[in-house]
Every structure is written in C-alpha cells, then in structure tokens.
Amino acid sequence: MTQGLESNARSRTQSRGSTALVLLAFLLVAAIAGAALYLHFRRAAPVTFLPEPARPAEFTPALRSLPVGLKFVNVTREAGIHFRHVSGAKGKKLLPETMGGGCAILDFDRDGDPDLLFINSCHWAGDQPPGPPPTQALYANDGKGRFTDVTREVGLALTFYGMGAAIGDYNGDGFDDVFFTGVGGERLFKNVDGKRFEETTQAAGIAGGGQYTWSSGAAFLDYDGDGMLDLFFCRYVEWTPEADLAQAFQITGLDRAYGPPMNFPGTFSRLLRNVGSKFEDVSAKAGLEVRNSLTGEALGKGLGAAVHDLNEDGWPDIAVANDTVQNFLFLNKKDGTFEEIGILSGFAFDESGKTRGAMGIDCADLGSSPGSSGSTKMIVVGNFANEITALYRSSLPGELPFSDDATAEGIGNPSRKYMKFGVFFFDLDLDGRPDIFEANGHLESEIEKVQAEQRYAQPVQVFWNAGPGAPRGYEVLGPERLGGDLFEPVVGRGCAYADFDGDGDLDVVLCSNNGEARLFRNDGSNKNRWIRLKLVGKNGNTNAFGARVTAEVAGKTLKAQLTSGRSYLSQCEQVITLGLGQADRAENVKIYWPGQMTPQNLGTIPEGTLKEIRNR
C-alpha cells in the first residue's frame, strides 16, 4: 500500500513536472510568436496624429484657391494596356512576393513618344501553373496615348523574377537600354537600333549575383564626370526561401505572414563604373559599402534610390531609402568617391531619431523667388503604415542640413495610415510647383482582420503644392477634385509619370502587386500653360542625366534636374516639364549640362513649346 502510494506520488510529481515543462514550452513559444508579431506589426498600431505646427507669419499671407477642372481618367483598356503583374504567391508567404513590381518610361524606338515597360516577376520553381509563363512587357506608344504590345518582337518576352528597372543609353549609341533588378540578380539589355533588345549582362561585366541575390531600386548616372553612364543599384536583404520558411512569421489567428526585413541580414548597394565596353564594380573604393559600426556587417536594406545634385556643385549625389535601418545620403566628393552623410545631414532618421520602413523616394527643387541666393531642395520618402511620408527640406545654398517638415507642411497626418511604396514629385496642374503622388498598398491580404483601420488595397494619395502663401505647404486632393478613377483602391507598388498623349500635361501609370497595371490620363490641368524640354547629351551620356534647367516665369525662378531612377522600382519620362501657370512664356531659360558650370542660355521660350535641345 505504501509502495503504491509512493508510486502514485512519483507519478503525480512526474506528471506535474511534465505539465510544467509543457507549460514553459508553451509560454516560450507564445513569447517568441508575440515578439515576432510585435516586430512585424509594430508600425501598424492604431493610427495616431500629431498637431500640425503653424507656419511663421511671414509665410502665411493668404490661402491660394484649390485647383479646379482637374481630372484623372482610367484609360488603361482603351489605351491598349493589358499587363498583369505575377508575384508567384501560392501561400508560402515568401517576402519577395509582396514587394514588386515597377515600371519604366523610355523611348525605345526613338520616335519621340514615351513607351511603357512593365517589370514582371514569376512563379517559383515547381509552382508553375499550366499555360504560358509571365514575362516582362513593353508597349509602344503611337504618340496619341495608344499602345501596342511589342514585347515578343523586341526580344523581351523573358521570364525571371524581376523587381525594377533603370533606363539609360550605357553604350552611347543614342538608343535607350534597359537594366533590370530582381531576385536572382541583375540583367542588362542593349537596345539594337530601336528594333530589338540583346542581353549583354555578362559581356558588360555585370556579375548579376547568385540565385537569390535581391536587387531593387536602380539609376544610371555619370558619377565621375567622364561622360559615360555608370550604374547604381540597391540590394535589399540577404534572402533565401529556406531562411524565410525557417522562421514562423504569423498573424494572430491567421496563417503564415510575410516576414519583416529585420529578420534578414543587410547587404551592400552597388556602384558599377562604365569603362567603355564593360562595367567594373567600384562600390568599396567609392565609399558606398556602409557597415554597422558595432558588428562590421553590411548595414543597408535599400529599396529606393534617387540621384540628384543636392548641393548644386555639378556632381550627382545619391539618396537611398532603407527599410528599417537608417537612410543613406552619399555626397559626391568629385574625386570618384562619396561621403555618406545621412546622419550629419539629418536625412538618416525621423524627427525623433528613429528608423522607418522606407521604400519609395524622389528629389526635387522648389525654385526660388526674386533676389533669393538659392533654392529649396526636397526629398520625399514613402514609409510603412503608421509612419508618415517624410518630406526632408534644405534651404541653405550649397549646404545639406535637412529637416523633416512633413507634418508642418500638411503631409504627415494624412499619410500616416497608409503603407507607402511608389512616390514622386510632379507638377500635376502645371502651376510651376512640384506636387506629390503616392502609391499605397499593404503587404498582407488579410490585414483588416487584425488591424481594423487597415486594408490590403488602398487608394493613392495626391498632395497639391499650395505655395508659400498657404497655411500648409500641401493640401490633400481627393476624388472631389481629381475624379474617382484615380482613387480606386489598389495594392500599389511602382508608379511613374509621362505625357503619354502629347497634350503637355503629365499622365500617371500605377503598378499593382499581383494585379493589373493602370494608366490615368490627365484631363484639364487647370488650363495652365507649359514648356517641355527634351535634352540630348553628347559623348556617352546621350540621355543628358545630370543636366539642370532654370527658367524665370512671372518673377519666379523654376528649377529642374534630369535624372534616372525615382519613385519605387521605376523610372519617369526623360523630358523636363515646366509649368508656367498663366504666363505665356518662360524667360532666361538656361541649361547646365553635366560637368559644365557655365550654362547655355536659350533665352525666351513661348508656352506650348516642346523643344529638343542638343549639347554641342
């Protein structure tokens, strides 16, 4: 009996011990899952809003009237566009599936009309459904905004996991070439006489990376002033399907979720120098390999790249939008190297010194008033949900101390709710001030089940530049001002602009993750006037990337730069549009060609002029 009781007691003790171990294991798993959930959705907490500080009195004399008569019309089908992005998603929730893709504007056949390139991804190995595989897509423009799919005949009916593209004439023959980024490395295609594309990745010395090398935003530039186009491109994270699947990313009560980038190591963006017939990797010696000061490992997780001469010294600088780590700002030192000044310039973090989930990026010049010694430089960055769109401004000539003025300028609170990807500056109403377009869309298709205020498909946002006389720098324009077509929810990613129909105003193309692309025609443009300049460079930089234009319009100086890249995984058209408002001409128009500090003076250009100008 005693033995039986002792045995029973031991059994109960062992049982209690086993139960405790099970409970401890359960709590440990719950803690890990909770931590992962917190990390994954920490920015998707209930939306909070900050007070909008008032502008100083000297900047608020009056509120300008909001624009009227504007409308963006969805003309995708009637324009002949039938592209659909394929992410390859089949339920495994691999991170690349929710990150693409982009688009690019080019004039591949050199007929003067902007053509459209869509970058496609594909199905993973072993997951291909029956039927033709998805390919990249090139649409030729007839000059009136109607397109023909010429993908197959030009040799771009190719299947690979593409993300973005940059356009530039890297061999100086006058035809736009295409550089693709994606999972599996980079690919370069030479344009042969405007009739077909020939892959030159290996011949041009581009390593391309390994099977799962992941590159994102890219841009052509002449960083060393030798007259030939070099290549900069971001790499996102060190990623493999195995590493992704080994981590139990979940949303509470739902299936597997897409993992956050902090769970993958960072990597280095790359700079390739054009040495004539080939490119050489100069990333390290040019000072672009930024390392964690504590671990020595690669710090960057780049998604967006924007090239701009931020201090107007005639040399291109590079701004990089990093996801969950500090942003980079590479200042060109004019000796073949760059200095990373993100922290020193105030561009690295938000106003409280924290990193954000940065994705799309663009730069612009605000111009100046009579008697001003310089102009305001602006960098816009699209960030994660419950993080505001950043608007970094610097108004000191030749210097780069940036402050994030998004909240004061009326952009912060309205943008906070959305998950921002593509973003760019453009003059939507041709009044001479750069407005902002933003493409939004979440990562998770069922996000509303755990975050009631969030949706997978989200409307775009448009911020109209109200000018220095307004209480806020920017006003939100919605369907009541621009029509309902533009604001139909979409899982927005890449976006770009161009004058597709030749009427002088800027139309918009919008890409959707695992969905159909959309083309919006700009109708109305507030009845304002414009001039458009197509710049043709010499030597190896026929695109004239890096050229700066200034013009005097109604007592104000307008400024613009011609650059590659921009937005998110995308590239806008290579024509400079200057909105004139109601002025009938632009005066004292000057071009600062790449590498030249002395401008070419074009004098007066009447409104409604599309002018091609060659650097001779």
Side-chain angles (χ1 to χ4, degrees):
M1 180 71 172
T2 304
Q3 184 178 0
L5 290 172
E6 290 176 350
S7 176
N8 210 7
R10 283 195 301 269
S11 176
R12 287 196 299 271
T13 302
Q14 290 171 353
S15 176
R16 285 195 298 269
S18 298
T19 301
L21 287 174
V22 170
L23 180 60
L24 180 61
F26 174 80
L27 291 174
L28 181 60
V29 170
I32 293 173
L37 180 65
Y38 170 74
L39 288 173
H40 188 56
F41 291 106
R42 73 195 194 288
R43 309 184 216 60
V47 178
T48 56
F49 297 97
L50 299 177
E52 296 183 357
R55 281 184 160 194
E58 62 267 26
F59 292 108
T60 58
L63 173 63
R64 295 176 55 241
S65 298
L66 290 169
V68 295
L70 287 170
K71 190 176 184 179
F72 282 85
V73 181
N74 188 337
V75 295
T76 310
R77 293 302 181 193
E78 67 181 80
I81 304 288
H82 302 280
F83 174 77
R84 183 179 182 87
H85 176 260
V86 174
S87 70
K90 288 291 183 66
K92 294 180 180 179
K93 294 293 183 78
L94 299 175
L95 185 55
E97 297 168 356
T98 195
M99 299 298 290
C103 60
I105 315 301
L106 70 164
D107 184 7
F108 84 95
D109 50 5
R110 215 164 62 179
D111 64 355
D113 306 316
D115 308 307
L116 248 175
L117 174 68
F118 293 102
I119 296 85
N120 214 343
S121 303
C122 63
H123 301 282
W124 300 107
D127 284 342
Q128 299 93 331
T135 71
Q136 316 312 308
L138 179 63
Y139 287 85
N141 190 350
D142 69 354
K144 298 179 181 179
R146 296 185 181 276
F147 294 84
T148 302
D149 188 339
V150 297
T151 310
R152 191 163 299 279
E153 66 186 75
V154 301
L156 288 179
L158 303 167
T159 300
F160 54 86
Y161 210 100
M163 281 282 167
I167 307 300
D169 177 18
Y170 81 92
N171 59 353
D173 65 356
F175 290 94
D176 282 336
D177 308 306
V178 180
F179 177 76
F180 289 98
T181 63
V183 177
E186 303 76 43
R187 301 179 71 168
L188 179 66
F189 289 82
K190 179 177 67 176
N191 186 334
V192 182
D193 301 326
K195 297 178 180 178
R196 61 185 177 86
F197 287 87
E198 172 185 305
E199 182 164 11
T200 54
T201 307
Q202 293 185 351
I206 296 176
Q211 183 180 6
Y212 297 116
T213 298
W214 186 348
S215 51
S216 47
F220 282 96
L221 73 162
D222 179 11
Y223 84 96
D224 54 359
D226 65 357
M228 294 185 289
L229 285 183
D230 312 301
L231 256 173
F232 175 85
F233 56 93
C234 299
R235 285 200 172 143
Y236 185 32
V237 292
E238 293 289 345
W239 178 90
T240 65
E242 293 77 16
D244 200 329
L245 292 171
Q247 303 181 66
F249 304 124
Q250 287 186 316
I251 303 177
T252 302
L254 300 178
D255 295 329
R256 178 175 162 82
Y258 289 108
M262 66 276 291
N263 288 67
F264 301 96
T267 186
F268 297 123
S269 294
R270 313 311 298 168
L271 178 64
L272 306 184
R273 180 172 179 261
N274 191 334
V275 294
S277 60
K278 288 189 175 183
F279 290 91
E280 65 172 355
D281 192 330
V282 295
S283 310
K285 67 180 180 182
L288 297 183
E289 293 190 348
V290 183
R291 299 178 183 273
N292 185 306
S293 59
L294 298 178
T295 66
E297 301 297 322
L299 180 62
K301 297 183 179 182
L303 283 175
V307 176
H308 204 83
D309 181 3
L310 291 167
N311 56 359
E312 293 191 3
D313 64 354
W315 295 78
D317 310 301
I318 305 171
V320 176
N322 280 314
D323 192 2
T324 70
V325 299
Q326 66 197 56
N327 296 324
F328 298 152
L329 184 55
F330 295 105
L331 187 67
N332 196 320
K333 296 174 67 177
K334 301 180 282 190
D335 60 359
T337 67
F338 292 83
E339 179 184 2
E340 202 288 295
I341 61 167
I343 295 177
L344 292 175
S345 67
F347 176 65
F349 303 106
D350 69 8
E351 66 280 358
S352 61
K354 298 179 181 178
T355 61
R356 293 187 275 209
M359 290 171 277
I361 186 170
D362 196 14
C363 303
D365 297 276
L366 191 57
S368 58
S369 301
S372 173
S373 59
S375 63
T376 297
K377 302 292 181 181
M378 301 186 295
I379 306 177
V380 63
V381 180
N383 294 309
F384 207 88
N386 203 31
E387 296 176 345
I388 66 174
T389 295
L391 183 65
Y392 296 96
R393 295 165 60 102
S394 176
S395 301
L396 295 180
E399 299 182 22
L400 299 175
F402 283 98
S403 60
D404 187 351
D405 295 346
T407 300
E409 292 295 318
I411 291 175
N413 285 336
S415 67
R416 185 181 297 275
K417 172 181 176 179
Y418 299 102
M419 186 173 292
K420 289 76 67 177
F421 278 87
V423 61
F424 57 71
F425 290 104
F426 78 137
D427 189 354
L428 72 93
D429 60 344
L430 301 174
D431 65 355
R433 282 174 285 270
D435 311 300
I436 297 173
F437 181 91
E438 189 171 81
N440 304 319
H442 211 279
L443 301 179
E444 294 289 349
S445 60
E446 298 180 294
I447 186 62
E448 68 273 11
K449 293 183 179 180
V450 292
Q451 294 291 331
E453 72 277 9
Q454 288 293 335
R455 293 294 183 272
Y456 184 44
Q458 300 178 355
V460 306
Q461 287 192 287
V462 178
F463 299 97
W464 176 69
N465 190 329
R472 290 184 299 272
Y474 290 84
E475 298 288 342
V476 178
L477 299 187
E480 72 285 353
R481 294 283 177 181
L482 300 178
D485 287 6
L486 188 63
F487 298 93
E488 292 181 4
V490 64
V491 187
R493 295 296 185 259
C495 55
Y497 68 78
D499 178 15
F500 291 112
D501 54 1
D503 64 355
D505 56 25
L506 301 176
D507 313 301
V508 171
V509 58
L510 174 62
C511 298
S512 175
N513 182 64
N514 210 36
E516 296 181 348
R518 303 180 187 184
L519 179 64
F520 299 96
R521 186 183 66 221
N522 185 340
D523 289 346
S525 296
N526 209 23
K527 308 303 179 184
N528 283 331
R529 300 166 179 175
W530 50 269
I531 64 170
R532 284 169 52 81
L533 305 177
K534 170 63 176 175
L535 307 184
V536 181
K538 61 182 180 179
N539 301 324
N541 185 5
T542 65
N543 301 93
F545 289 143
R548 295 183 291 120
V549 173
T550 65
E552 295 177 6
V553 178
K556 296 182 179 180
T557 300
L558 305 184
K559 295 188 176 186
Q561 294 189 29
L562 185 60
T563 60
S564 174
R566 306 173 65 184
S567 184
Y568 175 75
L569 307 176
S570 300
Q571 180 161 323
C572 299
E573 71 170 345
Q574 299 173 39
V575 178
I576 288 179
T577 298
L578 296 179
L580 307 184
Q582 291 299 300
D584 61 2
R585 63 189 180 275
E587 299 177 307
N588 199 23
V589 180
K590 297 178 181 179
I591 301 176
Y592 295 81
W593 294 101
Q596 300 178 21
M597 296 302 291
T598 302
Q600 177 183 349
N601 198 332
L602 303 179
T604 298
I605 298 179
E607 61 91 10
T609 298
L610 170 60
K611 190 177 184 67
E612 181 179 285
I613 305 167
R614 293 180 174 270
N615 182 8
R616 303 188 185 280

